[in-house]
Amino acid sequence: MVGVSSRLRQATAVALGALTLVSLAACSSTVQGRAAAALPRDGEPPLTAAPAPPSPEDIIQAPEDGRSLEAHRLAAATPIIPSVFPDRTEYCFPEGAFFSTESIEALYFVEGTAKPILDKYGFAAGWGECQQDVENRGTLSLSVELSDPASARAAADELAKAGQDFDERTSTVLDGYPVQTSNDEENDTVEIWAPVGRTLAYVFHTAPSGQALDGATRLITEHTRLLEAFTPTPQAELPNLPLDPAGLIPRIVKLPGEIQKGTGPYELESYLRLAIDAEAERDLLADNGFESMFYVTSGDDEHNYSVSLYKFPGSAQTNVVYDGFARLEETAFGGTPFELEAIPDAPCFVFDGGLPGTPSFYQRCYVGFGGYLASVDVGGLDSADDTAKMNELLPQQRDLIQG
């Protein structure tokens, strides 16, 4: 039996880490050639015919001429904040893929300041990370891809000036980068804008008085190092980025509702920006031949859904990865195991993420075969026992990965 661990996150799921895949500690055995007991054993009746596989257009539409797919590539060039600041252990927003200037301005900058600048200088895509400490002091890192190096340099200067015009800040220059500093009675906040080729690094760091500049400097140093190793896709080629480079979409069940931000393919370094413990997971995944993963998230008026499909060379590697994640996550989340009527052998967990008077439950079940591991999540449930959607989706997902 296998399991996997990641922090595939969305705003509605923060309270319970709803998109974080817990380890399957309840599973006790492995089966050569199949990655989950949810599949038939030798001599059992065959599976029902698999549903017709979805097409790429059913799953993802690559909004804004491929900008969302470029944003996933750009994730690999954005710092993993806890690797620089181990005390920043709490998730926060804004984070994830950005493929419009409206969304970046709404979450990072004062209204009316950033959008016209980013539009003027040929915005292509963005990726953001956000973490905070237990005192709610936040750290943000944002990578933005623009049209050319001159545009990135001009955008850095203009964004810094636009922010200064709206409140009291001290302006300085650090290694040629514009820096803004503000403070209150207890904390300093430092912002730095650093152009790297046709990309732009932006960091925001709040720390106790006297400590923020050093922290922001360390973060921008790591950020520029990553961007220097990143090769942006030529803007004319963005529409041609492959929707499904590893061919995983035909093995993913079509979810109800509208496809949401974050859907798409992730390679190893980009995936690690979604991981719970990137430092531990990097070696584990690389050593076991991690090939790719595809994440789909959707929602309707009542519920949210997701599927994560991971590809490894075979079941042996998949099970090794499970063992590693199981050790990392045994006690990380308080999921309650339950038995799903449609597939009694499938490892399933339910999480209570509601508030007093507002119940909200999140279910997660796993199926796998060979080198494929899939999780199916159903959230926004009024009752932990409401398994209607999971009973429908999980067998379809099982059949698709069995192929």
Side-chain angles (χ1 to χ4, degrees):
M1 196 73 68
V2 297
V4 82
S5 156
S6 68
R7 58 180 180 91
L8 300 172
R9 300 160 291 174
Q10 62 185 23
T12 59
V14 171
L16 65 155
L19 294 179
T20 305
L21 309 184
V22 298
S23 64
L24 306 185
C27 301
S28 61
S29 64
T30 59
V31 181
Q32 185 67 31
R34 55 174 69 96
L39 295 175
R41 301 179 186 278
D42 292 341
E44 291 182 350
L47 299 174
T48 57
S55 68
E57 290 73 21
D58 289 330
I59 296 292
I60 182 172
Q61 291 78 44
E64 304 295 336
D65 297 326
R67 290 177 178 179
S68 65
L69 301 173
E70 183 72 351
H72 295 181
R73 296 187 63 244
L74 197 56
T78 308
I80 299 170
I81 291 172
S83 69
V84 182
F85 305 105
D87 66 322
R88 306 283 152 135
T89 57
E90 307 300 311
Y91 303 142
C92 56
F93 291 90
E95 55 77 37
F98 293 96
F99 43 84
S100 74
T101 55
E102 292 87 351
S103 60
I104 287 182
E105 180 179 272
L107 291 171
Y108 282 88
F109 301 107
V110 176
E111 182 179 358
T113 60
K115 182 182 184 306
I117 295 170
L118 295 174
D119 285 340
K120 176 170 65 173
Y121 292 117
F123 171 81
W127 183 275
E129 289 287 306
C130 180
Q131 297 278 143
Q132 59 189 1
D133 64 15
V134 294
E135 301 297 328
N136 297 321
R137 289 183 284 251
T139 300
L140 309 176
S141 57
L142 173 69
S143 298
V144 174
E145 197 175 302
L146 298 166
S147 61
D148 56 72
S151 293
R153 293 191 296 270
D157 292 335
E158 292 184 27
L159 286 167
K161 184 178 184 304
Q164 184 183 21
D165 290 345
F166 278 83
D167 54 30
E168 294 184 3
R169 303 182 187 182
T170 300
S171 296
T172 57
V173 176
L174 175 68
D175 295 333
Y177 307 146
V179 178
Q180 300 281 340
T181 303
S182 57
N183 55 70
D184 58 25
E185 293 181 357
E186 297 181 354
N187 300 303
D188 294 340
T189 296
V190 173
E191 299 169 76
I192 304 177
W193 293 260
V196 180
R198 51 176 280 228
T199 64
L200 174 64
Y202 166 71
V203 302
F204 173 106
H205 182 63
T206 297
S209 298
Q211 300 178 28
L213 181 59
D214 175 70
T217 301
R218 287 189 287 120
L219 183 59
I220 202 69
T221 299
E222 173 65 5
H223 203 157
T224 55
R225 181 188 72 82
L226 292 171
L227 283 171
E228 285 167 356
F230 175 74
T231 302
T233 302
Q235 287 196 356
E237 296 299 317
L238 287 178
N240 299 323
L241 283 174
L243 297 176
D244 184 20
L248 297 180
I249 284 177
R251 297 179 183 270
I252 298 174
V253 65
K254 187 175 181 180
L255 296 175
E258 295 185 4
I259 299 298
Q260 303 293 322
K261 168 187 168 181
T263 293
Y266 292 83
E267 296 308 317
L268 179 58
E269 283 300 319
S270 295
Y271 160 79
L272 291 172
R273 273 59 184 173
L274 309 175
I276 291 173
D277 189 336
E279 298 304 318
E281 294 174 30
R282 179 182 280 109
D283 289 343
L284 178 64
L285 293 170
D287 289 347
N288 286 283
F290 173 95
E291 295 180 5
S292 188
M293 70 89 65
F294 201 103
Y295 175 59
V296 183
T297 178
S298 74
D300 55 28
D301 292 338
E302 297 181 347
H303 304 116
N304 50 77
Y305 311 90
S306 68
V307 171
S308 302
L309 181 61
Y310 300 79
K311 180 68 174 70
F312 298 96
S315 60
Q317 292 85 357
T318 309
N319 279 290
V320 172
V321 172
Y322 162 65
D323 290 339
F325 279 118
R327 288 191 296 271
L328 287 172
E329 286 221 39
E330 245 175 38
T331 60
F333 295 96
T336 302
F338 71 95
E339 183 176 294
L340 187 70
E341 179 183 1
I343 309 178
D345 287 339
C348 291
F349 299 84
V350 63
F351 302 83
D352 184 354
L355 300 173
T358 309
S360 182
F361 294 91
Y362 205 97
Q363 297 169 349
R364 180 176 304 114
C365 294
Y366 292 81
V367 288
F369 186 85
Y372 296 102
L373 173 70
S375 70
V376 175
D377 293 4
V378 178
L381 299 167
D382 293 334
S383 169
D385 298 327
D386 181 2
T387 59
K389 278 296 181 183
M390 189 64 79
N391 272 313
E392 173 187 338
L393 293 173
L394 194 66
Q396 294 179 29
Q397 181 58 66
R398 174 198 61 187
D399 294 351
L400 284 167
I401 61 172
Q402 191 270 348

